[in-house]
Amino acid sequence: MPTAETDNGYLYQQVVKRIRNLRDANSLRPGERLPSLRRLAAQLGISVPTVKQAYDELERLGWVEVRPQSGYYLKAPLASSGRPRRPDLSAVPVPVRQQRLIEKVQQAITQPGLVPLGISNPASAFANPQTFSRLLRRVTTITGGQALGYGPMHGLAPLRHQLAHRYGEMATVTTGDQLIITNGAQEALTLALMCVARPGDVVAVESPTYFGLIELIESLGMMACEIPACPDGGVWLADLRQALDNQPIRACIFASSINNPLGSLMPDATRRALVELVESRGVALIEDDVYGDLHFSPQRATPAQAWSKRGLVLTCSSFSKTAASGLRIGWLLPGRFEAEAKRLKSALSGPTPLLNQWAVHELLVSGDYDRNLKRLRAELAANKERMVAAVQQYFPATTRHSDPGGGCVLWLELAERQDSGRLFELALAAGISIAPGPIFSASGRYRHCLRLSFGLPWSERVEAAVARLGQLISSP
Amino acid sequence: MPTAETDNGYLYQQVVKRIRNLRDANSLRPGERLPSLRRLAAQLGISVPTVKQAYDELERLGWVEVRPQSGYYLKAPLASSGRPRRPDLSAVPVPVRQQRLIEKVQQAITQPGLVPLGISNPASAFANPQTFSRLLRRVTTITGGQALGYGPMHGLAPLRHQLAHRYGEMATVTTGDQLIITNGAQEALTLALMCVARPGDVVAVESPTYFGLIELIESLGMMACEIPACPDGGVWLADLRQALDNQPIRACIFASSINNPLGSLMPDATRRALVELVESRGVALIEDDVYGDLHFSPQRATPAQAWSKRGLVLTCSSFSKTAASGLRIGWLLPGRFEAEAKRLKSALSGPTPLLNQWAVHELLVSGDYDRNLKRLRAELAANKERMVAAVQQYFPATTRHSDPGGGCVLWLELAERQDSGRLFELALAAGISIAPGPIFSASGRYRHCLRLSFGLPWSERVEAAVARLGQLISSP
């Protein structure tokens, strides 16, 4: 394609330079949208294709990202130090002993008055409390009498069918009858793990992994085998294969779409290969898909469930990260363990509250859920760029960070000598909560790592908190 | 006290005879209130003390019962065949294998269109759905925004303090901070049992006992040791002592106030002795107190918790039988196992929904809960008499029945040759659900027993269902 050349070089290169100048002058900040093609073309008196060529070049350089039907957005510049390194693990099962530190961190996370950079759910999951209040009132009026009774043991049929329909769109064959509505994803994970493993059994987890999984494995008296997870693409299949060869692994629990704390997004092809690998060994895969709907790329990742041929994949998810965590509505797609999972739900906690199920059902059928999700994903994608930029600005230059493909958390690797447990205490004293690295490892690794949330609405207070953390790290 | 004598004997005896005639003519039916003292005195032209003397005599004869601040109520006549017999158990621990039958029964219980005599919660726990709807709307308006977030891991502080205050009135020392809000009593029981026993351990249960406990013990891979429970006063302490001597019992789970399925009320003195016995052996007692508030006697039973000296009593309860089962709000008072119970709540399911906790809090502080409870207890006490009378009228004369001190279920012992599993199927075909005896025993005892609910509003349809059951039993 021919391009217009001027005295100052190709026209499109001038546009590229202009955007870079805007960025350097802080007139355009990471997470913000670039002017539309038409608008910039009109402004500069050049053609739309030339602006398009410039934006494509910016995308190739990793400065901007394209979001379909939305536009081009400025990304934070990539730190020269790059991504956190692949952890060097021996993949030996360990008994889990992390609950004390986890409790301490959880208390800090919910402590009022702090800047809660330790949270893992978007603070504005549902943007408008008034809208949500109205929704709940509508549900109450409709269901008042019905919500008094126990309701079906495994969930409200219309809600189960709504969920089945949504999975159907992702090419996962399921009927609502298989699905079990649970008290949040955490109960779904508990039921799933009790279906596939017994006390003393070895369970493979990503490393680093969500601390709730570590607590769960510890509570059920099982052993954890840590498989390195890559900040770009999730768990390393070669490492998993080796662990399966050498250890008596009964099950894997992986956040197989978007990981917490890395924020990494596993490519669909890897997830498919993962399912084939575990099913060929007769090992169950529990997928924790709570962040699946919060993808930054145009397409949602396909759940592992979609590729299961032997029924060994159990899918756990919830609305706690995407709508209202307070309702505590999760679900379990139990694969071939349907009968056992249903028995356990009945025995361990009984039916999930009916009113809450009706509220989520109304959220789905009204279209409010999808509309809100679109807003939320755009907000989080912008927040991510702002957080990465803030870390690059305020943290020591040696800091490595992950590149989340969705969700609301960023993983940081500091210099080896740093102690995130000490940083946690210092930050707390400064009115900030963070999630220190060791709570994400059954064996207490990642002492020099931490997780930061970009789930808060971006504000000067949040940016000041990141700056303060940077100071605390830089001090001797 | 001098009494007026007439030609027809003492005046008060005429009153006694008059009431008996009304009963025999079905003009006054079991569960109904007798005319007030003043009204009957005025009607018969005799003195109030004479009527009082007659009513006292009727009470002594077991025909009526007094409910303070309410009046005198006609009881069902005591069947000559009396109470169900003490089960003869060898108290040997057994692995539990009852879930299939339990599932079948649970499906039938919730099947629409049936007369659900198999349920164990009062159908009209909250009499007025409109009032409840209004309450929920108020809560939604107040808490809309707040209900969006996760809320504290172990429960809403104001609700925990309300509950602690109510326990305080029963002389149980507790602060709200110890208490954990759970997803119904079933989750409280799960947490409690996981705190005190491990897979393979032996757990003492009443026999017969609530099938949810059998499911729970089975799901956690534990063994059950059945201790005979008496239809009048709960578990037999002599049998328990013997079992403790001979079996490695780690914990007891008893409905130590009002039992399900017997409806039996353990006297406070026995409960106190029970606590002393288990604590002297270092054995934990999990008390399932869900029916505690539904007592027919004027005073509520004192929870076992009140007598605990070593912290080995764990109290589980909920609002599912007394307010709204659909909200699924229960709680656990964990005794000395507070830290472990809190860890497990976090690991297995996370926080209980906030909206539901606010609703129950509003129910308590508004006084609606206590007002409704008073109505509910009166209704259930009347229903019990009606159900006992119906059983006596329609069932074979050899039928034995329990004498519930509260709650909403009646336990029946048929002739030895009867099979309640077959009766369950026949009843189902006739549009009636019942709860057959074997689901209440870990070892499948009580084949000739069944549980009937008197938790439905009394109606001709209910009475006709009891009559139909009677026919099904009498057939060869």
Side-chain angles (χ1 to χ4, degrees):
Chain A
M1 196 171 104
T3 48
E5 196 174 352
T6 69
D7 288 346
N8 295 316
Y10 289 102
L11 252 181
Y12 84 90
Q13 286 177 334
Q14 287 183 37
V15 177
V16 167
K17 199 173 162 191
R18 186 186 169 87
I19 297 292
R20 193 171 57 186
N21 288 344
L22 285 172
R23 188 191 68 179
D24 292 348
N26 257 339
S27 298
L28 185 64
R29 301 174 58 128
E32 286 184 0
R33 192 163 70 174
L34 273 60
S36 74
L37 297 176
R38 272 173 206 286
R39 203 176 129 207
L40 193 59
Q43 210 178 321
L44 302 178
I46 57 177
S47 74
V48 169
T50 304
V51 181
K52 174 79 166 63
Q53 193 181 6
Y55 281 14
D56 287 348
E57 174 67 8
L58 285 165
E59 192 193 357
R60 201 188 57 77
L61 292 169
W63 291 18
V64 305
E65 62 176 343
V66 195
R67 300 193 203 135
Q69 287 155 6
S70 178
Y72 292 79
Y73 288 78
L74 190 67
K75 294 182 71 170
L78 195 68
S80 56
S81 47
R83 301 274 167 266
R85 288 157 299 181
R86 174 185 175 289
D88 182 24
L89 298 175
S90 55
V92 173
V94 289
V96 185
R97 294 281 179 276
Q98 287 297 322
Q99 286 193 330
R100 294 238 168 147
L101 181 59
I102 292 170
E103 272 171 64
K104 217 162 133 184
V105 174
Q106 274 186 325
Q107 273 167 19
I109 286 173
T110 54
Q111 198 173 307
L114 298 183
V115 185
L117 299 183
I119 59 173
S120 62
N121 58 311
S124 58
F126 206 93
N128 191 330
Q130 283 73 39
T131 311
F132 197 76
S133 237
R134 270 200 299 278
L135 170 97
L136 283 181
R137 279 205 301 277
R138 199 161 73 232
V139 168
T140 308
T141 307
I142 300 168
T143 66
Q146 289 180 70
L148 291 172
Y150 273 113
M153 182 59 78
H154 303 116
L156 187 66
L159 175 60
R160 294 160 83 188
H161 292 143
Q162 269 295 316
L163 286 166
H165 174 68
R166 298 178 82 89
Y167 273 101
E169 286 176 358
M170 294 179 277
T172 314
V173 181
T174 180
T175 71
D177 300 336
Q178 299 170 323
L179 205 139
I180 302 169
I181 305 291
T182 58
N183 296 301
Q186 193 65 24
E187 189 186 55
L189 291 162
T190 302
L191 299 178
L193 191 52
M194 289 181 76
C195 279
V196 300
R198 300 277 161 270
D201 279 353
V202 177
V203 181
V205 294
E206 291 154 296
S207 184
T209 190
Y210 165 50
F211 59 79
L213 300 180
I214 298 178
E215 281 187 291
L216 176 57
I217 291 169
E218 178 172 353
S219 293
L220 298 179
M222 299 173 186
M223 309 272 280
C225 179
E226 300 187 277
I227 313 294
C230 151
D232 285 322
V235 81
W236 292 81
L237 290 198
D239 291 291
L240 176 61
R241 191 172 289 112
Q242 204 178 348
L244 289 170
D245 287 341
N246 298 312
Q247 305 293 343
I249 291 171
R250 285 294 282 272
C252 305
I253 304 195
F254 297 157
S256 59
S257 57
I258 296 164
N259 172 287
N260 167 15
L262 292 171
S264 62
L265 174 70
M266 179 183 274
D268 274 7
T270 313
R271 194 170 314 100
R272 183 176 192 159
L274 168 65
V275 173
E276 283 166 8
L277 172 60
V278 295
E279 290 205 328
S280 73
R281 307 291 184 106
V283 168
L285 170 65
I286 299 170
E287 66 170 339
D288 177 1
D289 195 31
V290 286
Y291 294 101
D293 274 357
L294 295 178
H295 51 101
F296 300 155
S297 52
Q299 281 299 312
R300 190 200 196 287
T302 308
Q305 188 67 243
W307 287 296
S308 171
K309 289 201 168 50
R310 297 186 52 195
L312 289 170
V313 177
L314 301 90
T315 305
C316 304
S317 195
S318 83
F319 290 104
S320 300
K321 314 294 181 195
T322 52
S325 24
L327 290 179
R328 308 291 295 126
I329 295 296
W331 63 92
L332 169 62
L333 256 173
R336 70 152 86 150
F337 303 95
E338 183 184 338
E340 178 64 6
K342 286 183 171 175
R343 271 199 289 272
L344 285 170
K345 172 62 173 160
S346 163
L348 301 183
S349 82
T352 302
L354 212 44
L355 179 68
N356 310 243
Q357 295 187 67
W358 277 115
V360 168
H361 177 258
E362 185 65 23
L363 207 55
L364 292 174
V365 296
S366 65
D368 281 349
Y369 178 78
D370 288 313
R371 273 189 294 275
N372 181 62
L373 195 58
K374 200 175 162 191
R375 175 200 64 78
L376 183 60
R377 284 172 44 212
E379 182 187 318
L380 293 177
N383 282 359
K384 171 200 144 183
E385 300 303 332
R386 291 176 182 128
M387 182 58 87
V388 168
V391 164
Q392 289 174 352
Q393 185 174 351
Y394 300 113
F395 275 44
T398 49
T399 306
R400 293 160 181 268
H401 65 82
S402 63
D403 182 28
C408 62
V409 293
L410 185 71
W411 181 250
L412 301 179
E413 185 181 324
L414 307 176
E416 292 275 1
R417 69 173 188 285
Q418 295 288 345
D419 175 357
S420 63
R422 191 171 156 269
L423 181 63
F424 168 76
E425 300 288 354
L426 291 173
L428 213 54
I432 306 161
S433 79
I434 61 165
I439 65 173
F440 301 100
S441 162
S443 57
R445 287 161 194 278
Y446 310 114
R447 193 173 159 272
H448 63 302
C449 298
L450 69 146
R451 187 191 73 183
L452 286 189
S453 172
F454 52 82
L456 297 169
W458 197 261
S459 67
E460 287 183 9
R461 186 166 173 251
V462 169
E463 183 149 353
V466 180
R468 186 81 186 91
L469 285 177
Q471 289 174 345
L472 294 173
I473 295 165
S474 304
S475 340
Chain B
M1 196 173 108
T3 46
E5 197 174 352
T6 68
D7 287 347
N8 295 319
Y10 288 103
L11 252 181
Y12 84 90
Q13 285 177 335
Q14 286 184 38
V15 177
V16 167
K17 197 171 164 191
R18 186 183 170 88
I19 298 293
R20 194 171 57 187
N21 289 343
L22 285 172
R23 189 192 67 179
D24 292 347
N26 256 342
S27 302
L28 183 66
R29 298 171 60 127
E32 287 184 357
R33 192 164 70 175
L34 273 60
S36 75
L37 298 176
R38 269 173 210 286
R39 200 175 133 208
L40 192 61
Q43 209 177 323
L44 302 178
I46 57 176
S47 74
V48 169
T50 303
V51 180
K52 173 81 166 61
Q53 193 181 6
Y55 282 13
D56 287 347
E57 174 68 7
L58 286 165
E59 191 192 358
R60 201 189 58 78
L61 293 169
W63 291 18
V64 305
E65 63 177 343
V66 194
R67 299 192 203 137
Q69 286 154 8
S70 178
Y72 293 79
Y73 288 78
L74 190 67
K75 294 182 73 169
L78 195 69
S80 58
S81 46
R83 302 273 166 266
R85 287 156 301 179
R86 177 185 173 289
D88 183 23
L89 299 175
S90 55
V92 173
V94 288
V96 184
R97 293 280 178 275
Q98 287 298 321
Q99 286 192 331
R100 294 240 168 147
L101 181 58
I102 292 170
E103 271 171 64
K104 216 163 135 186
V105 174
Q106 274 185 324
Q107 274 167 19
I109 286 173
T110 54
Q111 198 173 309
L114 298 185
V115 184
L117 299 183
I119 59 172
S120 61
N121 59 310
S124 59
F126 207 92
N128 191 330
Q130 283 73 38
T131 311
F132 197 76
S133 239
R134 270 200 298 279
L135 171 97
L136 283 180
R137 279 205 300 277
R138 199 161 71 232
V139 168
T140 308
T141 307
I142 300 170
T143 66
Q146 289 180 70
L148 290 172
Y150 273 113
M153 183 59 77
H154 304 116
L156 187 67
L159 175 59
R160 294 159 83 188
H161 292 144
Q162 268 295 318
L163 286 167
H165 174 70
R166 297 177 84 87
Y167 273 102
E169 286 176 356
M170 292 179 277
T172 314
V173 182
T174 181
T175 72
D177 301 335
Q178 301 170 323
L179 205 140
I180 302 169
I181 305 292
T182 58
N183 296 302
Q186 193 67 23
E187 188 185 56
L189 291 162
T190 301
L191 299 178
L193 190 52
M194 288 181 76
C195 279
V196 301
R198 301 276 160 268
D201 280 354
V202 177
V203 180
V205 295
E206 292 154 294
S207 185
T209 190
Y210 165 51
F211 59 79
L213 300 180
I214 297 176
E215 280 187 290
L216 176 57
I217 291 169
E218 177 172 356
S219 292
L220 297 180
M222 299 174 186
M223 308 271 279
C225 179
E226 301 186 278
I227 313 293
C230 149
D232 285 322
V235 79
W236 292 82
L237 291 198
D239 290 290
L240 176 61
R241 190 172 290 113
Q242 206 180 346
L244 289 170
D245 287 342
N246 297 315
Q247 304 294 340
I249 292 171
R250 284 294 283 272
C252 306
I253 303 195
F254 297 157
S256 59
S257 57
I258 295 163
N259 172 287
N260 166 13
L262 290 171
S264 62
L265 173 69
M266 181 183 271
D268 276 6
T270 312
R271 194 170 315 101
R272 181 175 196 161
L274 167 65
V275 173
E276 284 167 5
L277 171 60
V278 294
E279 290 206 327
S280 73
R281 308 290 184 107
V283 168
L285 170 65
I286 299 171
E287 64 170 339
D288 177 359
D289 195 31
V290 288
Y291 293 100
D293 274 358
L294 294 179
H295 51 100
F296 299 156
S297 51
Q299 281 298 311
R300 189 199 196 288
T302 308
Q305 187 68 243
W307 286 295
S308 171
K309 289 200 167 50
R310 296 187 53 195
L312 289 169
V313 177
L314 301 90
T315 305
C316 303
S317 195
S318 83
F319 291 103
S320 300
K321 313 296 180 196
T322 52
S325 24
L327 290 178
R328 307 292 295 130
I329 294 297
W331 63 91
L332 169 61
L333 255 173
R336 70 152 84 152
F337 303 94
E338 184 183 338
E340 178 65 6
K342 286 183 171 175
R343 271 199 290 271
L344 285 169
K345 173 61 174 161
S346 163
L348 301 183
S349 83
T352 302
L354 212 43
L355 178 69
N356 310 242
Q357 296 188 65
W358 278 114
V360 168
H361 178 257
E362 185 65 24
L363 207 54
L364 292 175
V365 296
S366 66
D368 281 349
Y369 178 78
D370 288 314
R371 273 188 295 276
N372 181 62
L373 196 58
K374 199 176 162 188
R375 173 200 65 77
L376 182 60
R377 284 171 43 212
E379 181 187 318
L380 293 177
N383 283 357
K384 171 200 142 182
E385 300 303 331
R386 292 175 181 128
M387 181 58 85
V388 168
V391 165
Q392 289 175 351
Q393 184 173 351
Y394 300 113
F395 275 44
T398 49
T399 306
R400 293 160 181 267
H401 65 82
S402 64
D403 182 29
C408 61
V409 293
L410 185 71
W411 181 250
L412 301 179
E413 186 181 325
L414 306 176
E416 293 274 359
R417 69 173 189 285
Q418 296 288 343
D419 175 357
S420 61
R422 189 172 158 269
L423 181 62
F424 167 77
E425 302 288 354
L426 290 173
L428 213 54
I432 306 162
S433 79
I434 62 164
I439 66 172
F440 300 100
S441 161
S443 58
R445 288 162 192 278
Y446 310 115
R447 191 172 160 275
H448 63 301
C449 298
L450 68 146
R451 187 190 74 182
L452 285 189
S453 172
F454 52 84
L456 297 169
W458 197 260
S459 67
E460 285 183 9
R461 186 167 173 250
V462 170
E463 183 148 353
V466 180
R468 187 82 186 90
L469 285 177
Q471 288 173 345
L472 294 172
I473 294 164
S474 304
S475 338

